[in-house]
Amino acid sequence: MAKVPESVVKESYFLRSTFTYNRLHSEGYFELFMRIRKFARVEGAKLNWDDRSKWSIGEEAWDILQANKIAPMLVFLHPKVLQLNPSFLKYYRSVALIPQKGMKALSGVSSIDKIEDGKVDSGRLSGQQIEKLVRTINETLSLVVTLASDINENKIEGMMYATAGTKIDGSWRNQIGAEGERVIRKIIFNELFAHEDISSVENKKDLLTEIGEWDANTDIDEVKKIHLVNGYSILFSSEPDVTMYSDSGAIVGIIEIKSGLDPAGALERLGAMFKSFENTLAEYPDAVTILVASCITKEVDKRLNASMAVRQRYLTTDITSSDAEKRKFVNRLRVIMQLVGRK
């Protein structure tokens, strides 16, 4: 078996890290523990736990929480909390270290994902669903707490992230290419923003926001178009992944981002890219065509050298791991869009 190129291995871990962080952020895990803790502080003490044995809360586990001065609501699921805040199920399931598939199997409730995604309104869960979910969570956590008698808030939060990480890792393989595109788009946006080149941004619903009102925390996946101060614009889409337009509407450059990490699939990805470039050059022969790839094998390099369709090429890892290469890449785009020297 041929050795996987170092650049591919490096990119794999880079993208895995950025993908995991992005998913933890987009799925709300960074805020989730703080929301539960605040709720527990403000309203938790008012909850009546007298029926806790009916909810499968073990007395030994309960006593351990009391001894460690941990608010019960941070660990155990109260029926009222689930009824009024169905999406909190994500927190309790994660703390219990149960995957969604396991939760469905143990509780017999099939709509776990909809409940956790906030697609089930408060008060809409049936009494039977609440009972099944509460008992499943609390029975599991009673065992965990009993076996880990030194439990504290930091460990509770860590248990939540452990489950989240397992879930995210399971979806990683299907998202490698998309994550590579997302990282490159983010680099382009951040560098243009830093140079004060952007005048406004449009999201996927075509709603325009002036850059002075832009929320820096907005996910790059929500950005569809970037309008620049000199009248040029950038479109994020697919085939090509990035298109640069002049103030007259002509395409001046396109970028194809091929971030698949399997060297064996490099030729297949190359064919799709050539088609995209050739279609653009047929109408705009002066456009600059740029390939950003994770893997350029000897055979791919040979075909690129023989092609007239690819005018610039970059390795993803060069852009992501070197500030100098990152600036070089984005400055090349700024030259294409006539932004260099405008100040």
Side-chain angles (χ1 to χ4, degrees):
M1 181 180 293
K3 183 179 179 181
V4 178
E6 181 182 353
S7 62
V8 174
V9 175
K10 192 175 184 179
E11 183 183 351
S12 175
Y13 286 106
F14 276 5
L15 295 184
R16 190 190 192 100
S17 296
T18 61
F19 175 78
T20 301
Y21 177 87
N22 183 55
R23 288 293 292 271
L24 286 171
H25 174 71
S26 65
E27 294 185 17
Y29 283 103
F30 291 134
E31 298 81 20
L32 190 54
F33 183 78
M34 300 303 295
R35 288 177 62 199
I36 299 292
R37 187 162 65 177
K38 181 177 180 180
F39 196 103
R41 177 177 57 81
V42 177
E43 297 294 337
K46 304 173 188 176
L47 294 172
N48 187 327
W49 294 90
D50 290 348
D51 290 333
R52 58 183 177 270
S53 63
K54 296 180 182 179
W55 306 331
S56 297
I57 297 175
E59 280 304 306
E60 184 180 354
W62 180 266
D63 291 341
I64 289 172
L65 293 191
Q66 299 299 305
N68 286 281
K69 298 181 179 181
I70 297 174
M73 198 192 128
L74 280 181
V75 178
F76 294 126
L77 179 54
H78 193 288
K80 180 184 176 182
V81 171
L82 181 60
Q83 181 69 287
L84 297 181
N85 302 276
S87 65
F88 281 5
L89 179 62
K90 179 192 288 186
Y91 168 81
Y92 289 100
R93 176 187 60 77
S94 298
V95 171
L97 303 168
I98 304 173
Q100 282 187 335
K101 184 177 180 180
M103 192 66 195
K104 292 178 183 179
L106 291 171
S107 68
V109 178
S110 61
S111 54
I112 302 300
D113 50 346
K114 291 182 180 179
I115 296 171
E116 294 186 356
D117 290 342
K119 296 178 181 178
V120 176
D121 294 334
S122 300
R124 296 302 297 273
L125 288 174
S126 70
Q128 187 178 40
Q129 288 176 313
I130 291 173
E131 180 182 359
K132 288 180 177 180
L133 293 169
V134 165
R135 289 177 66 88
T136 299
I137 292 290
N138 291 337
E139 186 175 10
T140 304
L141 279 168
S142 290
L143 175 61
V144 172
V145 171
T146 301
L147 295 177
S149 56
D150 59 344
I151 194 165
N152 56 44
E153 287 193 9
N154 289 336
K155 292 179 180 179
I156 293 168
E157 187 176 11
M159 289 156 68
M160 180 193 72
Y161 281 122
T163 306
T166 301
K167 176 177 178 288
I168 292 168
D169 187 65
S171 62
W172 159 241
R173 283 292 172 185
N174 296 325
Q175 297 293 325
I176 295 173
E179 179 61 14
E181 293 171 18
R182 192 189 72 81
V183 168
I184 296 300
R185 291 198 303 268
K186 183 68 173 177
I187 286 172
I188 293 171
F189 184 92
N190 286 351
E191 288 294 310
L192 292 176
F193 183 85
H195 281 93
E196 299 182 354
D197 291 330
I198 302 174
S199 59
S200 64
V201 178
E202 289 186 61
N203 65 13
K204 289 186 175 180
K205 295 181 180 179
D206 297 323
L207 296 176
L208 185 140
T209 301
E210 293 184 72
I211 200 62
E213 301 172 350
W214 178 253
D215 181 357
N217 293 319
T218 302
D219 195 318
I220 191 63
D221 290 335
E222 294 301 313
V223 176
K224 182 178 179 181
K225 305 165 196 168
I226 302 173
H227 299 294
L228 306 175
V229 293
N230 64 349
Y232 280 58
S233 297
I234 297 173
L235 172 67
F236 293 145
S237 58
S238 60
E239 296 184 3
D241 298 305
V242 181
T243 305
M244 294 167 272
Y245 293 88
S246 72
D247 52 359
S248 67
I251 293 177
V252 295
I254 64 172
I255 304 173
E256 282 288 355
I257 305 166
K258 301 303 178 186
S259 295
L261 300 179
D262 177 17
L267 290 177
E268 181 181 347
R269 296 191 293 272
L270 188 66
M273 179 214 61
F274 276 145
K275 182 178 180 181
S276 175
F277 283 178
E278 288 165 359
N279 288 340
T280 297
L281 292 172
E283 188 171 0
Y284 300 97
D286 294 329
V288 179
T289 52
I290 300 172
L291 168 65
V292 177
S294 57
C295 180
I296 298 181
T297 63
K298 289 183 178 180
E299 181 59 29
V300 168
D301 186 59
K302 179 180 177 181
R303 297 194 186 189
L304 288 173
N305 289 333
S307 172
M308 299 294 291
V310 185
R311 294 173 178 174
Q312 300 271 326
R313 65 175 105 158
Y314 297 87
L315 278 178
T316 308
T317 46
D318 288 344
I319 298 171
T320 57
S321 62
S322 166
D323 287 340
E325 289 298 319
K326 181 194 306 180
R327 287 192 293 269
K328 181 179 178 181
F329 168 67
V330 176
N331 279 335
R332 177 58 184 144
L333 306 188
R334 296 182 72 237
V335 169
I336 294 170
M337 295 181 288
Q338 297 188 15
L339 289 164
V340 173
R342 70 177 180 83
K343 291 183 178 180

